[in-house]
Amino acid sequence: MKFEWKKQHKTLDQLEDLGTTNAHYVVEEYFNVEDAKELTQEQIKEVMSYSESDEIDDFLGTCLRNIVNYWQNENDNYEIF
């Protein structure tokens, strides 16, 4: 029998949840807000731009984009793209 990591998606989902939680903390601390939904449109654009740059790991960029999605949903604003 060949070794196989079953249910990889569950582990990846857990890692993404943890990364997104940590990304929320980093963003909220940097911009000095209680909740990422309080960011201005300019600030969330800055987060989005950084998330797609070469300055950050692809996985962590995904976690930051989760914050952008959260901001968009909370503010009913999808105009930053």
Side-chain angles (χ1 to χ4, degrees):
M1 181 189 312
K2 183 174 124 181
F3 174 78
E4 178 183 2
W5 187 331
K6 296 181 185 222
K7 300 182 182 179
Q8 294 177 36
H9 65 283
K10 286 188 176 190
T11 301
L12 291 170
D13 287 347
Q14 291 172 340
L15 290 171
E16 186 174 346
D17 287 346
L18 178 59
T20 300
T21 297
N22 288 337
H24 267 276
Y25 175 78
V26 169
V27 167
E28 291 162 0
E29 286 293 309
Y30 180 81
F31 289 107
N32 197 30
V33 295
E34 291 290 320
D35 191 300
K37 68 184 175 186
E38 299 170 10
L39 296 172
T40 66
Q41 187 165 335
E42 191 61 36
Q43 289 169 327
I44 204 66
K45 283 181 181 180
E46 185 177 341
V47 171
M48 183 66 178
S49 178
Y50 182 72
S51 78
E52 295 179 327
S53 75
D54 292 336
E55 299 175 40
I56 189 167
D57 176 82
D58 290 341
F59 176 77
L60 296 178
T62 298
C63 297
L64 286 175
R65 285 188 296 281
N66 288 341
I67 295 174
V68 173
N69 291 336
Y70 166 76
W71 182 91
Q72 290 176 310
N73 290 332
E74 290 295 314
N75 291 287
D76 196 30
N77 183 339
Y78 304 93
E79 297 178 17
I80 69 164
F81 295 109

PDB file of all heavy atoms in Angstrom, residues 64-78:
ATOM      1  N   LEU A  64      -4.950  37.340   3.287  1.00  0.00           N
ATOM      2  CA  LEU A  64      -5.280  38.764   3.240  1.00  0.00           C
ATOM      3  C   LEU A  64      -6.461  39.029   2.324  1.00  0.00           C
ATOM      4  O   LEU A  64      -7.315  39.875   2.623  1.00  0.00           O
ATOM      5  CB  LEU A  64      -4.067  39.576   2.779  1.00  0.00           C
ATOM      6  CG  LEU A  64      -2.941  39.756   3.790  1.00  0.00           C
ATOM      7  CD1 LEU A  64      -1.767  40.471   3.147  1.00  0.00           C
ATOM      8  CD2 LEU A  64      -3.423  40.522   5.015  1.00  0.00           C
ATOM      9  N   ARG A  65      -6.538  38.316   1.205  1.00  0.00           N
ATOM     10  CA  ARG A  65      -7.684  38.499   0.301  1.00  0.00           C
ATOM     11  C   ARG A  65      -8.980  38.039   0.960  1.00  0.00           C
ATOM     12  O   ARG A  65     -10.060  38.553   0.643  1.00  0.00           O
ATOM     13  CB  ARG A  65      -7.429  37.806  -1.036  1.00  0.00           C
ATOM     14  CG  ARG A  65      -6.423  38.599  -1.891  1.00  0.00           C
ATOM     15  CD  ARG A  65      -6.282  38.063  -3.288  1.00  0.00           C
ATOM     16  NE  ARG A  65      -5.730  36.714  -3.348  1.00  0.00           N
ATOM     17  CZ  ARG A  65      -4.421  36.428  -3.222  1.00  0.00           C
ATOM     18  NH1 ARG A  65      -3.537  37.400  -3.020  1.00  0.00           N
ATOM     19  NH2 ARG A  65      -4.005  35.184  -3.298  1.00  0.00           N
ATOM     20  N   ASN A  66      -8.892  37.104   1.893  1.00  0.00           N
ATOM     21  CA  ASN A  66     -10.084  36.734   2.663  1.00  0.00           C
ATOM     22  C   ASN A  66     -10.585  37.919   3.474  1.00  0.00           C
ATOM     23  O   ASN A  66     -11.795  38.099   3.646  1.00  0.00           O
ATOM     24  CB  ASN A  66      -9.790  35.546   3.578  1.00  0.00           C
ATOM     25  CG  ASN A  66      -9.626  34.248   2.826  1.00  0.00           C
ATOM     26  OD1 ASN A  66     -10.049  34.115   1.680  1.00  0.00           O
ATOM     27  ND2 ASN A  66      -8.986  33.276   3.454  1.00  0.00           N
ATOM     28  N   ILE A  67      -9.670  38.740   3.967  1.00  0.00           N
ATOM     29  CA  ILE A  67     -10.061  39.952   4.693  1.00  0.00           C
ATOM     30  C   ILE A  67     -10.720  40.938   3.739  1.00  0.00           C
ATOM     31  O   ILE A  67     -11.722  41.574   4.078  1.00  0.00           O
ATOM     32  CB  ILE A  67      -8.849  40.594   5.388  1.00  0.00           C
ATOM     33  CG1 ILE A  67      -8.331  39.653   6.470  1.00  0.00           C
ATOM     34  CG2 ILE A  67      -9.212  41.955   5.972  1.00  0.00           C
ATOM     35  CD1 ILE A  67      -7.055  40.112   7.112  1.00  0.00           C
ATOM     36  N   VAL A  68     -10.169  41.059   2.546  1.00  0.00           N
ATOM     37  CA  VAL A  68     -10.775  41.939   1.541  1.00  0.00           C
ATOM     38  C   VAL A  68     -12.199  41.483   1.250  1.00  0.00           C
ATOM     39  O   VAL A  68     -13.131  42.299   1.212  1.00  0.00           O
ATOM     40  CB  VAL A  68      -9.925  41.976   0.249  1.00  0.00           C
ATOM     41  CG1 VAL A  68     -10.645  42.742  -0.851  1.00  0.00           C
ATOM     42  CG2 VAL A  68      -8.547  42.573   0.525  1.00  0.00           C
ATOM     43  N   ASN A  69     -12.390  40.186   1.068  1.00  0.00           N
ATOM     44  CA  ASN A  69     -13.739  39.650   0.822  1.00  0.00           C
ATOM     45  C   ASN A  69     -14.663  39.935   1.995  1.00  0.00           C
ATOM     46  O   ASN A  69     -15.828  40.306   1.809  1.00  0.00           O
ATOM     47  CB  ASN A  69     -13.680  38.149   0.556  1.00  0.00           C
ATOM     48  CG  ASN A  69     -13.018  37.821  -0.755  1.00  0.00           C
ATOM     49  OD1 ASN A  69     -12.983  38.626  -1.676  1.00  0.00           O
ATOM     50  ND2 ASN A  69     -12.451  36.628  -0.846  1.00  0.00           N
ATOM     51  N   TYR A  70     -14.148  39.766   3.204  1.00  0.00           N
ATOM     52  CA  TYR A  70     -14.931  40.058   4.409  1.00  0.00           C
ATOM     53  C   TYR A  70     -15.347  41.532   4.413  1.00  0.00           C
ATOM     54  O   TYR A  70     -16.519  41.865   4.651  1.00  0.00           O
ATOM     55  CB  TYR A  70     -14.088  39.723   5.652  1.00  0.00           C
ATOM     56  CG  TYR A  70     -14.624  40.275   6.944  1.00  0.00           C
ATOM     57  CD1 TYR A  70     -15.721  39.686   7.570  1.00  0.00           C
ATOM     58  CD2 TYR A  70     -14.037  41.376   7.562  1.00  0.00           C
ATOM     59  CE1 TYR A  70     -16.211  40.177   8.768  1.00  0.00           C
ATOM     60  CE2 TYR A  70     -14.519  41.877   8.751  1.00  0.00           C
ATOM     61  CZ  TYR A  70     -15.608  41.280   9.355  1.00  0.00           C
ATOM     62  OH  TYR A  70     -16.098  41.775  10.525  1.00  0.00           O
ATOM     63  N   TRP A  71     -14.380  42.424   4.140  1.00  0.00           N
ATOM     64  CA  TRP A  71     -14.661  43.864   4.105  1.00  0.00           C
ATOM     65  C   TRP A  71     -15.735  44.186   3.074  1.00  0.00           C
ATOM     66  O   TRP A  71     -16.657  44.946   3.344  1.00  0.00           O
ATOM     67  CB  TRP A  71     -13.365  44.632   3.802  1.00  0.00           C
ATOM     68  CG  TRP A  71     -13.536  46.107   3.801  1.00  0.00           C
ATOM     69  CD1 TRP A  71     -13.385  46.954   4.868  1.00  0.00           C
ATOM     70  CD2 TRP A  71     -13.894  46.941   2.691  1.00  0.00           C
ATOM     71  NE1 TRP A  71     -13.618  48.258   4.484  1.00  0.00           N
ATOM     72  CE2 TRP A  71     -13.939  48.275   3.149  1.00  0.00           C
ATOM     73  CE3 TRP A  71     -14.179  46.701   1.354  1.00  0.00           C
ATOM     74  CZ2 TRP A  71     -14.254  49.346   2.323  1.00  0.00           C
ATOM     75  CZ3 TRP A  71     -14.501  47.765   0.525  1.00  0.00           C
ATOM     76  CH2 TRP A  71     -14.532  49.069   1.013  1.00  0.00           C
ATOM     77  N   GLN A  72     -15.603  43.603   1.891  1.00  0.00           N
ATOM     78  CA  GLN A  72     -16.579  43.849   0.830  1.00  0.00           C
ATOM     79  C   GLN A  72     -17.975  43.420   1.254  1.00  0.00           C
ATOM     80  O   GLN A  72     -18.950  44.144   1.035  1.00  0.00           O
ATOM     81  CB  GLN A  72     -16.182  43.115  -0.444  1.00  0.00           C
ATOM     82  CG  GLN A  72     -14.952  43.696  -1.105  1.00  0.00           C
ATOM     83  CD  GLN A  72     -14.526  42.893  -2.310  1.00  0.00           C
ATOM     84  OE1 GLN A  72     -14.400  41.670  -2.244  1.00  0.00           O
ATOM     85  NE2 GLN A  72     -14.315  43.571  -3.419  1.00  0.00           N
ATOM     86  N   ASN A  73     -18.078  42.241   1.834  1.00  0.00           N
ATOM     87  CA  ASN A  73     -19.386  41.733   2.255  1.00  0.00           C
ATOM     88  C   ASN A  73     -19.985  42.584   3.370  1.00  0.00           C
ATOM     89  O   ASN A  73     -21.186  42.882   3.352  1.00  0.00           O
ATOM     90  CB  ASN A  73     -19.278  40.278   2.700  1.00  0.00           C
ATOM     91  CG  ASN A  73     -19.005  39.342   1.548  1.00  0.00           C
ATOM     92  OD1 ASN A  73     -19.379  39.603   0.407  1.00  0.00           O
ATOM     93  ND2 ASN A  73     -18.317  38.245   1.827  1.00  0.00           N
ATOM     94  N   GLU A  74     -19.158  42.969   4.337  1.00  0.00           N
ATOM     95  CA  GLU A  74     -19.649  43.762   5.470  1.00  0.00           C
ATOM     96  C   GLU A  74     -20.050  45.177   5.054  1.00  0.00           C
ATOM     97  O   GLU A  74     -20.943  45.765   5.651  1.00  0.00           O
ATOM     98  CB  GLU A  74     -18.591  43.825   6.581  1.00  0.00           C
ATOM     99  CG  GLU A  74     -18.371  42.516   7.291  1.00  0.00           C
ATOM    100  CD  GLU A  74     -19.596  42.055   8.063  1.00  0.00           C
ATOM    101  OE1 GLU A  74     -20.207  42.888   8.776  1.00  0.00           O
ATOM    102  OE2 GLU A  74     -19.948  40.866   7.951  1.00  0.00           O
ATOM    103  N   ASN A  75     -19.378  45.708   4.054  1.00  0.00           N
ATOM    104  CA  ASN A  75     -19.639  47.078   3.612  1.00  0.00           C
ATOM    105  C   ASN A  75     -20.458  47.152   2.330  1.00  0.00           C
ATOM    106  O   ASN A  75     -20.703  48.245   1.825  1.00  0.00           O
ATOM    107  CB  ASN A  75     -18.307  47.820   3.429  1.00  0.00           C
ATOM    108  CG  ASN A  75     -17.628  48.071   4.748  1.00  0.00           C
ATOM    109  OD1 ASN A  75     -18.059  48.917   5.515  1.00  0.00           O
ATOM    110  ND2 ASN A  75     -16.586  47.306   5.041  1.00  0.00           N
ATOM    111  N   ASP A  76     -20.844  46.001   1.832  1.00  0.00           N
ATOM    112  CA  ASP A  76     -21.610  45.934   0.584  1.00  0.00           C
ATOM    113  C   ASP A  76     -20.964  46.826  -0.482  1.00  0.00           C
ATOM    114  O   ASP A  76     -21.614  47.626  -1.140  1.00  0.00           O
ATOM    115  CB  ASP A  76     -23.063  46.349   0.824  1.00  0.00           C
ATOM    116  CG  ASP A  76     -23.977  45.922  -0.318  1.00  0.00           C
ATOM    117  OD1 ASP A  76     -23.692  44.888  -0.960  1.00  0.00           O
ATOM    118  OD2 ASP A  76     -24.972  46.625  -0.564  1.00  0.00           O
ATOM    119  N   ASN A  77     -19.640  46.666  -0.611  1.00  0.00           N
ATOM    120  CA  ASN A  77     -18.852  47.485  -1.525  1.00  0.00           C
ATOM    121  C   ASN A  77     -17.906  46.566  -2.287  1.00  0.00           C
ATOM    122  O   ASN A  77     -16.989  45.981  -1.707  1.00  0.00           O
ATOM    123  CB  ASN A  77     -18.070  48.535  -0.731  1.00  0.00           C
ATOM    124  CG  ASN A  77     -17.293  49.459  -1.628  1.00  0.00           C
ATOM    125  OD1 ASN A  77     -16.992  49.173  -2.764  1.00  0.00           O
ATOM    126  ND2 ASN A  77     -16.948  50.618  -1.080  1.00  0.00           N
ATOM    127  N   TYR A  78     -18.144  46.454  -3.564  1.00  0.00           N
ATOM    128  CA  TYR A  78     -17.350  45.548  -4.392  1.00  0.00           C
ATOM    129  C   TYR A  78     -16.601  46.313  -5.482  1.00  0.00           C
ATOM    130  O   TYR A  78     -16.215  45.754  -6.489  1.00  0.00           O
ATOM    131  CB  TYR A  78     -18.254  44.479  -5.020  1.00  0.00           C
ATOM    132  CG  TYR A  78     -19.028  43.733  -3.951  1.00  0.00           C
ATOM    133  CD1 TYR A  78     -20.308  44.151  -3.570  1.00  0.00           C
ATOM    134  CD2 TYR A  78     -18.472  42.649  -3.296  1.00  0.00           C
ATOM    135  CE1 TYR A  78     -21.002  43.488  -2.573  1.00  0.00           C
ATOM    136  CE2 TYR A  78     -19.156  41.980  -2.289  1.00  0.00           C
ATOM    137  CZ  TYR A  78     -20.421  42.417  -1.943  1.00  0.00           C
ATOM    138  OH  TYR A  78     -21.095  41.765  -0.962  1.00  0.00           O
TER     139      TYR A  78
END
